[in-house]
Amino acid sequence: MNGRFASIQLFLVVCLFFLIFGAVSAESMQDATVWINKGKEAFDNKDYISAIAAYDQALLLDQYYTEGWKLRGDAQMVLERYAQAAESYDRALAIDKTNTDLLGKKAYALFLLGKYPESLDIYTRSVSLNPNSFQNQDGYGDVLAALNRFTEADEAYTKALKIDPQNNTTWNKKGEVLAKMFRNKEAVAAFNQSITIYPESAEVWNNLGSVYFSMGKMQNALKAFEQAIALDESYIPQKYGDTLTRLAKDRQIRNLNPPGAEEIKISNTTFQFTLPPGIFLLNYVMIAIGICGILILAVVGLMKKRSRKKS
């Protein structure tokens, strides 16, 4: 009887413990949510330091708050604290290992740190888990391009643009990798698509001009470079001066007319030249000298014959 009573007491104590623990836990969760909301408010006001401090308070109350770690990482990314952001995303991933949004965020932080192989591994995993994430496909293309794997980068950007075909930045990046593969016509098409969506980017106009320059289309290149400068006066395209030089040389060649040449027809192989008057005078002088020379030689020969006969 006493043993049974002791068991009941123990059961009641355990129940009481869980009730108290549950109440405390619920209160902690509620308090953590309050701090998370304060952090979001500070973030919206661009007070990122205060936002991180609020998220830290929430995570002290509940270290398994996945959103808290994610939001903390987002604020650190804005402050360009990429290593700390990667750590925050990693803590979130320890709780939610297959969250592709978190995988992409960590991969991007590593990309900005220049850790391309590590970033590539995580992006590869994220796009395999969810190929329909624009951010991850786009980021996957970025790290592939950084590793000079341009064909794969182009494929990744193509997949990203199928998800969001109106993203002018990705069209521009696609154009850049196509240009690096010397697929100039496709690069021009990509840059033009970017410009159609957002025509105010000096960078894209400059990129378009550079491809036209590589193709030898100097007039098109000049127009694109001038548009870039019109949009941003401080933006001086790298090949702008070279384009002006090339166009000036082309004008000189077209305007060049060789002295004394009246007509040169390459197709009919017809050449007509006007000789200077001095040439004719020189010819007459040379003929006269030749005749005099012949006469002198004849006289000398005749005199030699006479001298032999006398002897």
Side-chain angles (χ1 to χ4, degrees):
M1 184 70 179
N2 289 335
R4 186 177 178 184
F5 181 72
S7 299
I8 293 172
Q9 283 184 320
L10 179 61
F11 174 76
L12 291 173
V13 169
V14 170
C15 289
L16 182 62
F17 172 79
F18 278 111
L19 286 171
I20 295 171
F21 178 79
V24 171
S25 179
E27 185 178 355
S28 297
M29 282 289 294
Q30 186 176 3
D31 290 342
T33 302
V34 170
W35 282 108
I36 289 293
N37 290 333
K38 287 182 179 180
K40 288 180 178 178
E41 183 179 354
F43 187 93
D44 290 340
N45 292 326
K46 299 184 179 180
D47 185 359
Y48 305 115
I49 300 295
S50 297
I52 291 171
Y55 297 144
D56 285 342
Q57 287 297 322
L59 292 166
L60 283 174
L61 293 168
D62 182 7
Q63 61 180 319
Y64 298 105
Y65 204 142
T66 307
E67 186 185 11
W69 288 112
K70 180 185 81 70
L71 293 171
R72 186 175 188 268
D74 292 346
Q76 289 165 332
M77 286 291 288
V78 176
L79 294 171
E80 299 182 359
R81 300 176 180 178
Y82 304 129
Q84 295 178 23
E87 292 176 3
S88 294
Y89 295 138
D90 201 42
R91 291 292 299 270
L93 284 165
I95 305 165
D96 189 357
K97 293 180 174 58
T98 59
N99 188 311
T100 54
D101 180 47
L102 289 171
L103 285 168
K105 286 177 178 291
K106 181 182 177 182
Y108 185 56
L110 293 172
F111 170 77
L112 293 175
L113 287 169
K115 297 182 177 181
Y116 301 139
E118 295 175 49
S119 176
L120 180 63
D121 288 343
I122 299 173
Y123 269 129
T124 302
R125 183 183 171 202
S126 70
V127 297
S128 65
L129 287 171
N130 181 14
N132 297 317
S133 168
F134 170 80
Q135 293 297 337
N136 291 353
Q137 288 286 4
D138 187 60
Y140 189 40
D142 291 345
V143 71
L144 287 166
L147 291 168
N148 296 328
R149 293 165 61 172
F150 301 128
T151 300
E152 294 169 272
D154 176 45
E155 292 173 358
Y157 290 140
T158 299
K159 290 178 181 178
L161 288 166
K162 286 181 179 178
I163 302 166
D164 182 7
Q166 295 301 308
N167 192 293
N168 65 292
T169 302
T170 304
W171 278 111
N172 179 50
K173 291 187 291 188
K174 180 179 173 67
E176 288 176 335
V177 298
L178 287 168
K180 288 175 181 176
M181 293 187 288
F182 304 102
R183 291 161 59 180
N184 292 327
K185 290 184 178 179
E186 294 173 77
V188 167
F191 290 136
N192 279 326
Q193 186 64 37
S194 178
I195 289 167
T196 299
I197 298 166
Y198 181 69
E200 306 301 317
S201 173
E203 178 188 358
V204 182
W205 281 106
N206 174 59
N207 289 341
L208 178 61
S210 296
V211 175
Y212 278 135
F213 182 90
S214 299
M215 298 170 75
K217 297 184 176 182
M218 295 301 125
Q219 290 290 349
N220 290 7
L222 182 62
K223 289 178 182 177
F225 289 144
E226 288 178 343
Q227 184 63 32
I229 296 169
L231 290 167
D232 184 355
E233 292 182 0
S234 65
Y235 196 93
I236 305 300
Q238 184 179 0
K239 296 181 180 177
Y240 179 59
D242 295 336
T243 303
L244 291 174
T245 302
R246 286 274 295 274
L247 285 169
K249 287 181 179 179
D250 290 344
R251 281 193 293 270
Q252 287 177 357
I253 292 170
R254 286 196 301 270
N255 295 332
L256 186 61
N257 191 9
E262 292 183 355
E263 182 181 1
I264 300 178
K265 294 183 179 179
I266 302 298
S267 59
N268 297 326
T269 321
T270 300
F271 301 90
Q272 295 181 8
F273 296 95
T274 301
L275 296 175
I279 296 295
F280 296 104
L281 179 61
L282 181 60
N283 285 339
Y284 295 139
V285 171
M286 293 300 294
I287 291 169
I289 292 172
I291 293 171
C292 290
I294 292 169
L295 291 173
I296 291 169
L297 289 173
V299 171
V300 171
L302 182 61
M303 291 177 68
K304 284 182 179 180
K305 286 180 181 181
R306 288 180 178 180
S307 62
R308 285 174 187 172
K309 288 179 180 180
K310 288 180 181 181
S311 60

